[in-house]
Amino acid sequence: MAQFGISQPLLRLEDPALLCGEGGFLDDLSFPNMAHAYLLRSPHAHAEITAVDTAAAKAMPGVLGIYTGVDVAALGDIPTLAFPPLVPDTEYHHHGQPVLARDRVRYTGESVAFVVAETREQARDAAEAIQVDYNLLPVIIDAKATTEPGAPQLWPDAPANRAFEFQLGDEAATDAGFAGATRVVRLDVINNRVLLNAVETRGSLGRFEDGRLILHATTQMPHRYKEQLADKVFKVPRDAVRVLVGDVGGGFGGKNGLYAENCMTLFAARDLGRPVKWVSDRDEAFLTDTAGRDNVTTGELALDATGEPLAFRVRTYANLGAYNANGSAVSPTNMHMAPNCYRIPQVYIRVTGTFTNTTPVDAYRGAGRPEITYLIERLVDKAARELGEDPIAYRARIALQPEVFPYKTPTGLTYESADFGSLLEQAKTRVDWQGFSERRGESEAQGLLRGIGVCLYIERCGGGPALSEAATVDVQPDGVVTVRIGSQSNGQAHRTSYAQVVHEWLGVDPEDVVVIQGDTDEVETGTGTGGSWSIPMGGGAIARASDKIIEKAKRIAAQKFEAGESDIDFSDGVFSVIGTDLRLSLPEVSALAQDPANLPEGEEPGLGGFDRFVPENHTFPYGVHIGEVEIDPDTGAFALLNYTVVHDFGRALNPLLLEGQVHGGIAQGIGQALFERTVYDDDGQLLSGSYMDYHMPRASDFPDFDFLPVETPTVANPLGVKGCGEAGATGAPPAVVNAMLDALESLGVEDIDMPTTPESVWNAIQAARG
């Protein structure tokens, strides 16, 4: 095992610079003669723009330019990227977002004018002097109500505000399963809208140099930005656009897609001949960052007389917001994990994507997997209660057994392998499941309610056959190895992870590995970061490229030593002739490779390798989450007492990074389950527009997380890793809400929606008491 290679707890190489204030975030950037931008945003959720008067604003000190929708009419809209399979005889009505509103605004906070001045303060003052006349229009904010007769219409070509009708599975077979059911378990759930809330807000800095548009951005997908900007917005050749990304303080999916501000800083920079910078205030982030979740769903689980599942049916209304630009359709249609870990032979899902007068919705950590997992795990828990069975025992009874793998699901996926029963038993032991009744009795003696909740789940990660990632690895004569890769770190420690892969394959000290990312000139191609695919796909590409380096280096060493290539051994960064003391280090081979005279015929100078890794299948990490809560029935106040995770993520690349990812995901999942919710009033005004009103969880809200990793390497990539980024956000909501309902069951509370705030808990108790 390499000293700093795969499975070793190497400390993050990124942290010394970040902790010493030497990070390179967007707001740290400054260029000579740089101007600053501020946006005038709509105060209304739905209105016609009848007039815009910028005369007074243009005359104010320091103002360099003011742009409205008329000025940027030649720019294309931010494009729609996700086109799901549709229900037959239905249409997809897609509406990309204009970079500035033209004749109408469709959500509070939409960009109306872009003001550029010498300072940000001058730009803000000028924005406040712009006069806009609005003709107010009716507003609709609810995902399902927007489809009802008489609801206000956002787009004339989308009747009943329906953007699309998506289906997955076999409707007739599922209906037959329900027809033969002894019991049907039904549940209505709301998957609450949540916000990005990254530590670093979004930002954009545009430059125009030598006829090229150069964008510095806070994104997870720089190459996608480049393609969208060139192909759809500015309509220029791709080589006329360069995207640069430095350190990024959190993404979580909300920094995947292109935003209006990215386009406008470039437009203004080209128009003014000066760099233009915009950085979001936190209040702008609340208004304008793409949101996550926001679905209204009915789920039904058909069971036979023994409690065995026969079919699973889902009906969802997904709030897309005012536009369906970027990947808005990804999350509500990413429902392939619907059967979860269970023997459910038939599944049918129908999703209606709807337009509303709210901020657009896009991917948020997990992008569809948390939503469908929440539904099925709530239903399975309810089924166990109705059947009078222990929730862990019932899950183990209906779970897929190890001997059925590889297993093709009714939604078309092929699970590689799993042992759900083993993980359930390990989790059961770890939380002292048998001792819970005693702990519950101790709480009751104090007038408190205690509950325990379970989530068993599996998810698809690792990119899958539809995606790929490429990497170029170059070895220099001084021993430095440069990795150029298209994924983009936004806090996950890619430099550390990729350095460990290089160390594992080439024996190079991690400190000597340079990772270049976030520059579309330096890195020719890239998929970006999302879906827990950076390490499975990016690491796989680095491993394959390193294999090519080793093969070439062996040919060079064989020629140098006048030996057969098969006689060359490579270990710990050294090439040697088997059975002799002839040795060359990797840097020495690189030095030889610079001179064509040292190379076998047909070899190019240099020691490097390029490869693109295309997975043949997804990876399928799976795990068990168990939460334990205590509730005060008089006030609804609660405490999360214990939280345990037993999880198989495949081979752990770095146990420290793995645990950090799991902890962060759990925190976000618990945040959604207990605290976070975006609230609009009936006029589309955001009521939860600050941390005074949007409850972010604090460290004091969490217990110490108990995490037990189980390692079953996958064959889906050369590293054996499965991916861990979304696990906590997927498993935590059902585990915590099931625990809350377990605590409240004795009072007759059968259902509660997220977030289960003290107020909603108290109201549920009062309603149950009549």
Side-chain angles (χ1 to χ4, degrees):
M1 183 180 292
Q3 182 180 1
F4 302 113
I6 294 178
S7 299
Q8 298 306 298
L10 180 65
L11 294 176
R12 287 168 44 113
L13 300 175
E14 293 87 345
D15 286 352
L18 294 174
L19 293 170
C20 292
E22 298 171 0
F25 295 91
L26 188 133
D27 204 22
D28 297 320
L29 292 176
S30 183
F31 291 91
N33 206 31
M34 186 172 73
H36 297 265
Y38 191 86
L39 285 108
L40 176 66
R41 301 187 181 278
S42 169
H44 306 295
H46 200 193
E48 292 178 347
I49 299 174
T50 58
V52 181
D53 185 353
T54 62
K58 287 180 176 178
M60 294 181 70
V63 174
L64 301 170
I66 298 178
Y67 307 95
T68 65
V70 174
D71 302 308
V72 296
L75 295 185
D77 293 344
I78 296 169
T80 300
L81 301 179
F83 292 84
L86 301 179
V87 172
D89 300 321
T90 67
E91 297 180 15
Y92 187 15
H93 305 285
H94 50 95
H95 288 278
Q97 183 173 351
V99 295
L100 291 176
R102 293 187 282 269
D103 57 344
R104 184 177 292 202
V105 292
R106 292 178 173 84
Y107 66 92
T108 303
E110 185 168 359
S111 304
V112 174
F114 190 80
V115 182
V116 184
E118 298 289 352
T119 69
R120 178 178 171 82
E121 291 72 22
Q122 290 173 328
R124 182 181 60 202
D125 290 345
E128 293 174 353
I130 298 173
Q131 298 295 316
V132 182
D133 293 336
Y134 294 100
N135 178 28
L136 300 188
L137 298 170
V139 171
I140 187 71
I141 62 170
D142 182 82
K144 188 174 181 181
T146 192
T147 65
E148 294 173 358
Q153 295 296 290
L154 271 71
W155 299 100
D157 67 332
N161 293 310
R162 296 170 187 256
F164 63 80
E165 293 284 346
F166 163 83
Q167 66 178 2
L168 178 65
D170 189 327
E171 184 177 15
T174 301
D175 289 346
F178 274 86
T182 302
R183 179 189 300 268
V184 173
V185 182
R186 187 179 187 278
L187 194 61
D188 296 318
V189 301
I190 295 174
N191 211 289
N192 44 316
R193 176 181 282 230
V194 289
L195 291 179
L196 172 59
N197 287 306
V199 172
E200 181 195 23
T201 58
R202 292 186 298 109
S204 181
L205 195 160
R207 293 188 286 146
F208 186 68
E209 296 179 3
D210 301 322
R212 298 186 75 202
L213 296 161
I214 302 172
L215 176 69
H216 301 262
T218 51
T219 180
Q220 300 168 224
M221 298 181 175
H223 288 85
R224 178 191 282 185
Y225 264 37
K226 174 179 177 172
E227 293 163 7
Q228 287 181 273
L229 288 165
D231 300 350
K232 301 296 184 180
V233 179
F234 286 92
K235 301 163 188 170
V236 297
R238 288 187 179 180
D239 60 8
V241 177
R242 182 184 186 185
V243 176
L244 293 155
V245 183
D247 290 317
V248 180
F252 313 121
K255 292 180 181 175
N256 286 4
L258 192 66
Y259 285 86
E261 297 88 357
N262 305 123
C263 309
M264 284 308 305
T265 55
L266 284 175
F267 180 89
R270 185 177 66 177
D271 185 61
L272 299 172
R274 297 176 60 171
V276 176
K277 180 179 182 179
W278 169 84
V279 176
S280 171
D281 286 337
R282 186 59 67 177
D283 59 353
E284 288 181 286
F286 275 103
L287 277 172
T288 64
D289 285 357
T290 56
R293 318 295 190 224
D294 204 352
N295 300 331
V296 178
T297 300
T298 297
E300 296 174 289
L301 187 62
L303 307 174
D304 69 10
T306 68
E308 184 75 13
L310 299 174
F312 178 33
R313 189 159 54 201
V314 180
R315 185 69 176 96
T316 290
Y317 291 84
N319 192 340
L320 306 180
Y323 302 95
N324 51 353
N326 291 307
S328 67
V330 169
S331 293
T333 61
N334 188 11
M335 297 290 179
H336 293 77
M337 301 310 302
N340 199 16
C341 311
Y342 306 114
R343 294 187 302 271
I344 304 177
Q346 300 298 336
V347 171
Y348 179 69
I349 297 167
R350 181 157 179 157
V351 178
T352 302
T354 63
F355 292 115
T356 67
N357 295 115
T358 62
T359 306
V361 172
D362 211 320
Y364 179 82
R365 198 169 190 165
R369 283 106 75 199
E371 291 93 315
I372 195 64
T373 301
Y374 178 72
L375 177 65
I376 185 63
E377 281 302 286
R378 286 285 311 280
L379 279 167
V380 167
D381 220 60
K382 185 175 182 181
R385 286 198 304 273
E386 290 187 7
L387 293 165
E389 293 196 35
D390 175 273
I392 284 186
Y394 182 61
R395 284 173 168 84
R397 179 162 78 83
I398 65 171
L400 297 165
Q401 300 303 305
E403 62 271 15
V404 305
F405 296 97
Y407 173 79
K408 187 168 184 179
T409 73
T411 56
L413 301 177
T414 300
Y415 296 169
E416 178 186 323
S417 65
D419 190 345
F420 301 122
S422 173
L423 255 61
L424 283 166
E425 282 302 313
Q426 291 181 70
K428 185 175 178 179
T429 300
R430 202 164 180 94
V431 302
D432 184 18
W433 187 264
Q434 301 304 327
F436 174 73
S437 59
E438 182 179 341
R439 298 194 297 275
R440 170 173 272 175
E442 293 170 356
S443 296
E444 290 174 349
Q446 303 175 54
L448 303 174
L449 306 172
R450 197 178 187 107
I452 194 166
V454 184
C455 171
L456 171 67
Y457 86 103
I458 187 169
E459 63 169 337
R460 66 170 180 175
C461 297
L467 296 174
S468 66
E469 190 57 88
T472 301
V473 181
D474 289 300
V475 182
Q476 306 303 323
D478 60 1
V480 172
V481 173
T482 302
V483 175
R484 291 175 172 83
I485 192 161
S487 66
Q488 175 61 51
S489 177
N490 41 98
Q492 303 94 332
H494 283 182
R495 182 194 168 197
T496 306
S497 303
Y498 293 148
Q500 288 186 260
V501 177
V502 172
H503 179 74
E504 180 83 10
W505 254 254
L506 300 179
V508 177
D509 191 313
E511 294 284 356
D512 292 331
V513 178
V514 176
V515 177
I516 296 176
Q517 57 182 349
D519 184 340
T520 59
D521 277 7
E522 280 278 344
V523 183
E524 184 177 347
T525 182
T527 301
T529 292
S532 294
W533 64 55
S534 287
I535 303 306
M537 291 201 313
I542 292 169
R544 293 273 181 86
S546 298
D547 285 338
K548 290 184 175 179
I549 289 172
I550 294 169
E551 292 168 5
K552 181 176 181 179
K554 282 184 175 182
R555 293 193 292 270
I556 296 170
Q559 176 166 300
K560 173 69 175 177
F561 293 133
E562 299 181 352
E565 187 179 333
S566 62
D567 295 326
I568 303 298
D569 177 66
F570 177 68
S571 179
D572 295 328
V574 176
F575 296 88
S576 61
V577 180
I578 298 171
T580 74
D581 60 356
L582 298 175
R583 298 162 60 86
L584 282 172
S585 69
L586 186 65
E588 288 173 328
V589 177
S590 177
L592 287 172
Q594 308 309 310
D595 186 349
N598 298 322
L599 299 175
E601 186 176 350
E603 296 281 6
E604 295 290 329
L607 188 58
F610 168 86
D611 212 324
R612 177 179 296 280
F613 180 67
V614 183
E616 294 182 3
N617 192 11
H618 300 276
T619 61
F620 294 97
Y622 65 98
V624 180
H625 292 235
I626 298 180
E628 197 165 329
V629 301
E630 196 173 57
I631 299 172
D632 181 345
D634 293 329
T635 64
F638 54 78
L640 181 59
L641 303 176
N642 302 301
Y643 198 94
T644 295
V645 181
V646 179
H647 212 299
D648 189 334
F649 291 113
R651 194 178 182 193
L653 189 147
N654 182 320
L656 294 177
L657 300 182
L658 172 62
E659 189 163 1
Q661 283 288 309
V662 173
H663 285 193
I666 292 170
Q668 281 189 274
I670 291 172
Q672 181 180 11
L674 300 180
F675 305 110
E676 299 181 50
R677 182 174 58 142
T678 302
V679 181
Y680 291 94
D681 69 10
D682 291 340
D683 294 323
Q685 296 298 316
L686 182 64
L687 301 182
S688 53
S690 76
Y691 289 131
M692 294 291 289
D693 304 295
Y694 188 99
H695 184 171
M696 287 284 285
R698 299 170 173 81
S700 58
D701 294 317
F702 304 127
D704 289 337
F705 299 139
D706 177 29
F707 172 46
L708 175 64
V710 176
E711 295 195 21
T712 308
T714 178
V715 299
N717 59 73
L719 278 60
V721 301
K722 295 180 180 178
C724 65
E726 286 86 11
T730 304
V736 171
V737 175
N738 284 339
M740 298 291 283
L741 289 170
D742 183 57
L744 296 169
E745 184 181 18
S746 62
L747 300 182
V749 177
E750 296 182 353
D751 191 20
I752 193 168
D753 275 316
M754 298 186 292
T756 62
T757 62
E759 179 186 13
S760 64
V761 171
W762 187 86
N763 285 333
I765 292 171
Q766 303 315 305
R769 288 173 171 170

